[in-house]
Amino acid sequence: MKIGIILDNPKREIDGVLLIAHQLVQQGHDVYIIPMYQQGYDVPLLALDGLVVNYARLSNRSFLRAAKQLGLTVFVLDNEGSVIAENDVKTPASPSLIRESGVHAYIDHYLFWGHNQRDAFALAGILPDDRLHVTGCPRYDVCSPRWRTLLDYPQRGYVLVNTNFSTVNPLFTKSAGNEKRAFCSVGWDGEYVERLFHDLREVFRRYLETVAELARRHPDRLFVIRPHPFEDAALYERTFAMQKNVLVDGSGSVFGVIHHAACVLHLNCQTAVETVLLDKLPVSMEFLNTELLHRHYPIPSQISYCAGNFDELDSIIRDPEAYRARYPAARIYEQYIQPWFHVNDGNASARVVEQVLAHTRPADNRTGRWRRYRLSLDGCLERPSLLQRAQGLLMNLVGSRAVSEWRGRLNPVRQTKDVGADFVMSMLNRIARHDGAATEFRVSHARGAGLGLPLATLHVTAA
């Protein structure tokens, strides 16, 4: 069968996507890794059987609707985990908003990171119970002892500072104002967004000051600042340009950087989960937090060692291992990790593949050729603008690969979401060798139906 996987940001998601591809190709199936920027143009031209999408929100309802019109079996594996927030915070991934948006009508199966999310969706009646499955998060597989030796980073023993301020320091939108509008467009309440952004701006300033002071007090300790994949790293580079013991590095996957750190500092950042899974000490700079930001996403604080003031934070930096010995890892695993993120056994990708293969049937391809072209021309949008139609025409005349490369040259920020065929093939073959598999992988740009033009989508097969 032909299975498509939507890829948004490779820095965050590539590990899980490659592990899923590794499993599928070993079992004789073709995999298509589809960049989210091009999903609406490429998917109609690929004649897929099943599709694993990276979220289900109001913002991609038209795309999910088009996928069902194409006869695909649609699986949702949310790249944010669809973590359920506090009762008074209505998130775009909450069951109530998914039901209100009507998105659930275009979903065949939902794959959850943990039982807590699944139970919330089951209670809301989003889908029948037999279409809700707990798999774990595939990218977290690399945190397990089975895969952990794949992780590398050139430095050792540094203090890792993971930031989470893409809303007020955005990379992919032009301003925080655009970020606000994006939040509202997917279902957040406008008043709530205003209060959220106010707190984030205030906390961000103090966050930078705190890290700068830590670096000044510990000149012999390297501090590695890793911006969120959706953040503009240039702001950090300017801020810490004069501090020689601060390195701003957002390259590659976050897992290797965490694995070789002495401890991980953060505030309300989900990488606290990866830190726990990799048996490192997550430290929340809790004295900077606000009540609203904590309620917005409480889990990172709940699973971290919370520094109550700057002096305590300074003490942790002086001796991370002493505080690591006090950290109640067993209780954290039992109370938070397993209910929200399942077991750290390295088999989440295998469980995803098991569900995908169990429930995908070959598409009947009743959608005619011209209907497929029309969906691609429209980018799978219900009401595309004239500019979007023009882009769709260009995609179909020269192929989405050429258009993607051209747009990347015009806007280099877009290139941060590009992933090359050679890189994917190299990583897949490395995974196969590590797993003792005999499979050799071939990766090339897919070609669309009709004119056969190269697409941005990568086609993965056995060599």
Side-chain angles (χ1 to χ4, degrees):
M1 287 187 293
K2 298 167 70 174
I3 307 298
I5 307 172
I6 303 299
L7 173 65
D8 182 8
N9 196 303
K11 286 184 183 180
R12 179 174 62 179
E13 299 150 30
I14 192 63
D15 297 280
V17 169
L18 293 180
L19 286 169
I20 293 171
H22 164 68
Q23 299 272 347
L24 284 168
V25 172
Q26 278 199 96
Q27 297 182 51
H29 304 281
D30 283 16
V31 173
Y32 294 80
I33 300 175
I34 305 159
M36 195 175 78
Y37 279 149
Q38 286 80 35
Q39 63 182 7
Y41 308 103
D42 284 13
V43 166
L45 305 179
L46 292 172
L48 301 172
D49 299 302
L51 180 65
V52 181
V53 302
N54 55 328
Y55 61 78
R57 310 279 196 275
L58 180 62
S59 57
N60 70 335
R61 181 177 62 184
S62 61
F63 172 71
L64 296 174
R65 179 174 177 268
K68 292 308 299 173
Q69 290 175 337
L70 292 165
L72 308 185
T73 307
V74 176
F75 301 83
V76 177
L77 178 61
D78 200 301
N79 57 13
E80 298 285 356
S82 288
V83 173
I84 309 303
E86 297 289 313
N87 291 333
D88 60 340
V89 179
K90 206 173 189 182
T91 75
S94 63
S96 59
L97 274 183
I98 287 179
R99 173 172 287 283
E100 289 172 18
S101 69
V103 173
H104 63 290
Y106 309 119
I107 300 170
D108 293 297
H109 295 269
Y110 215 116
L111 311 177
F112 295 94
W113 292 11
H115 286 278
N116 280 4
Q117 298 103 315
R118 185 204 178 279
D119 292 348
F121 275 63
L123 184 64
I126 299 297
L127 292 173
D129 280 1
D130 61 354
R131 291 161 62 186
L132 304 173
H133 316 280
V134 176
T135 60
C137 174
R139 69 176 183 258
Y140 288 170
D141 278 354
V142 297
C143 299
S144 71
R146 175 184 176 186
W147 299 105
R148 196 177 291 179
T149 53
L150 286 170
L151 303 177
D152 199 15
Y153 190 68
Q155 307 288 343
R156 297 290 188 275
Y158 44 86
V159 173
L160 176 59
V161 182
N162 281 337
T163 69
N164 187 32
F165 294 95
S166 57
T167 49
V168 293
N169 180 36
L171 176 63
F172 296 105
T173 55
K174 293 181 179 179
S175 68
N178 287 346
E179 281 289 306
K180 287 182 186 179
R181 287 187 284 275
F183 264 58
C184 294
S185 72
V186 296
W188 290 100
D189 174 74
E191 182 181 345
Y192 179 83
V193 170
E194 285 292 339
R195 290 188 287 118
L196 180 70
F197 274 60
H198 172 271
D199 281 19
L200 282 166
R201 282 192 299 270
E202 291 299 310
V203 168
F204 188 33
R205 175 181 56 80
R206 295 165 56 209
Y207 190 98
L208 295 174
E209 292 170 353
T210 299
V211 174
E213 178 61 15
L214 283 174
R216 188 190 66 78
R217 290 196 182 193
H218 300 272
D220 296 329
R221 172 80 79 174
L222 176 64
F223 289 78
V224 175
I225 296 180
R226 184 177 178 87
H228 186 281
F230 291 5
E231 271 194 87
D232 182 3
L235 184 148
Y236 297 103
E237 291 167 353
R238 293 192 302 270
T239 301
F240 297 100
M242 303 305 293
Q243 294 189 265
K244 302 304 182 184
N245 61 329
V246 176
L247 171 66
V248 179
D249 184 9
S251 63
S253 169
V254 72
F255 297 104
V257 195
I258 293 174
H259 185 46
H260 296 287
C263 64
V264 178
L265 308 188
H266 73 91
L267 187 65
N268 305 318
C269 183
Q270 188 162 293
T271 57
V273 176
E274 290 98 312
T275 305
V276 174
L277 294 175
L278 284 165
D279 300 318
K280 296 292 180 175
L281 176 66
V283 180
S284 173
M285 295 188 276
E286 203 64 24
F287 60 94
L288 301 177
N289 218 350
T290 70
E291 181 182 355
L292 175 63
L293 295 181
H294 177 80
R295 285 191 295 110
H296 184 74
Y297 187 27
I299 286 179
S301 295
Q302 293 167 337
I303 66 174
S304 297
Y305 192 101
C306 293
N309 53 58
F310 181 86
D311 289 340
E312 184 176 18
L313 180 62
D314 186 62
S315 177
I316 294 170
I317 300 305
R318 293 184 188 282
D319 192 357
E321 284 304 311
Y323 284 85
R324 177 71 181 86
R326 306 177 197 173
Y327 178 73
R331 178 182 64 78
I332 295 296
Y333 265 91
E334 180 180 357
Q335 187 172 351
Y336 298 105
I337 299 299
Q338 289 200 14
W340 288 109
F341 307 101
H342 209 37
V343 292
N344 186 25
D345 61 359
N347 292 318
S349 54
R351 286 188 286 270
V352 168
V353 168
E354 179 183 5
Q355 294 300 334
V356 168
L357 296 182
H359 299 290
T360 301
R361 298 293 177 265
D364 56 21
N365 292 317
R366 286 182 294 180
T367 303
R369 177 186 300 177
W370 296 112
R371 177 60 174 160
R372 289 179 178 274
Y373 291 156
R374 179 61 182 271
L375 286 171
S376 179
L377 286 168
D378 290 347
C380 288
L381 298 170
E382 293 180 41
R383 298 179 183 84
S385 66
L386 288 176
L387 181 61
Q388 289 166 332
R389 286 184 185 275
Q391 181 169 283
L393 179 62
L394 188 61
M395 294 275 191
N396 279 266
L397 286 176
V398 303
S400 63
R401 180 186 181 186
V403 176
S404 175
E405 291 175 350
W406 174 68
R407 293 194 69 179
R409 286 193 292 270
L410 289 177
N411 181 9
V413 168
R414 292 177 67 96
Q415 295 177 12
T416 62
K417 290 194 176 185
D418 291 344
V419 58
D422 290 343
F423 169 78
V424 169
M425 184 164 63
S426 172
M427 290 297 295
L428 283 169
N429 286 323
R430 184 170 178 241
I431 289 169
R433 289 192 298 271
H434 179 84
D435 206 32
T439 306
E440 287 286 327
F441 291 84
R442 179 189 298 117
V443 182
S444 60
H445 283 272
R447 291 186 175 270
L451 298 177
L453 296 167
L455 304 179
T457 292
L458 296 178
H459 182 198
V460 183
T461 62

